[in-house]
Amino acid sequence: MARRAPRHAEAERNDQALLEAAKKVLAVDGAHASVATIAARAGVGIASLYRRYRSKDELFQHLCALSLDQWIQAAERGLKHDDPWEGLAHYIGACIEFSGGSLGPLAGTIAVTDEMAAKFTRSDELMRDLVTRAHAAGVLRSDATAMDISLLIEQLGKSPLIEQLDRQGRTDLIDAAHNARKRTIAIALDGLRSGRPQLPGTAPTPALLAERWEHAPADSTRSPGRP
């Protein structure tokens, strides 16, 4: 067991590096992103990667499960806050921070595994608990739904300015871009507070996010709405 522990720790580090690299590469290349590009950005050898994962799909399915773990952990930490608004704000801020492009481009390109479906269900339940608690406390606008918040996180998770500066290697401007992004997030969060004018149109349904994960060759139609 002592010999296997360092290998396990290394595998976890590689997984996290691959997850962050995949988000960034997918944000630029979309579903056509290559495993070789992701591995190179993560600093992981392509040969060792394929010794662990039998296929590109298996790798991406694993990364999706890891991403969902991040959503679950963010919600659990948010629910530990005594203040319902601070708990919700923590959740939104954390999810925007780590989503960074997200794995959304994979939607519909890979089959949804049982693990992915179970983790999405848990993540969704926890997020709805945060929203319900904030509504009950009267701090979240009454017409804002869990789906509205999921879509808000997805939209703010991508930062074209930061991505462009990153590609250009403009490290001199990165801090200013991150500061500007924080201001945008604060403006968006303020719009979620109670007492604001009615939102336009009808509330989005879960199908808006979930159905894009349907994968034709798969037998199952269970569809996580993120990562």
Side-chain angles (χ1 to χ4, degrees), residues 100-101 155-165 177-178 181:
Q155 294 297 315
L156 294 178
K158 288 180 65 66
S159 175
L161 175 60
I162 293 175
E163 291 166 11
Q164 181 182 25
L165 293 174
H178 278 284
R181 186 190 190 196

Side-chain angles (χ1 to χ4, degrees), residues 1-149:
M1 294 294 291
R3 286 183 181 179
R4 297 169 71 179
R7 291 183 182 179
H8 181 70
E10 182 181 2
E12 287 188 344
R13 287 193 297 271
N14 286 346
D15 276 348
Q16 290 303 317
L18 284 166
L19 177 58
E20 296 312 310
K23 290 176 181 178
K24 291 180 172 64
V25 174
L26 284 163
V28 177
D29 298 341
H32 299 294
S34 73
V35 172
T37 303
I38 293 170
R41 180 150 191 164
V44 176
I46 190 72
S48 61
L49 191 150
Y50 273 120
R51 281 195 296 270
R52 185 175 178 197
Y53 301 103
R54 294 171 295 181
S55 67
K56 178 179 179 179
D57 280 7
E58 185 175 294
L59 168 64
F60 284 157
Q61 287 164 337
H62 179 64
L63 294 180
C64 283
L66 289 180
S67 183
L68 285 162
D69 283 338
Q70 292 182 320
W71 289 82
I72 290 170
Q73 290 164 10
E76 289 174 340
R77 292 191 185 105
L79 288 168
K80 288 180 180 178
H81 280 261
D82 292 332
D83 185 295
W85 175 258
E86 291 301 322
L88 181 62
H90 166 85
Y91 171 76
I92 294 172
C95 291
I96 289 172
E97 183 64 28
F98 64 62
S99 62
S102 85
L103 302 184
L106 295 177
T109 70
I110 57 174
V112 176
T113 65
D114 289 341
E115 181 184 21
M116 289 167 61
K119 288 184 176 182
F120 169 72
T121 298
R122 178 59 178 158
S123 171
D124 195 51
E125 289 171 349
L126 290 170
M127 192 260 281
R128 291 180 185 280
D129 286 345
L130 281 165
V131 172
T132 298
R133 190 173 73 144
H135 274 147
V139 294
L140 174 65
R141 57 185 306 151
S142 61
D143 56 349
T145 68
M147 276 300 302
D148 286 315
I149 291 172

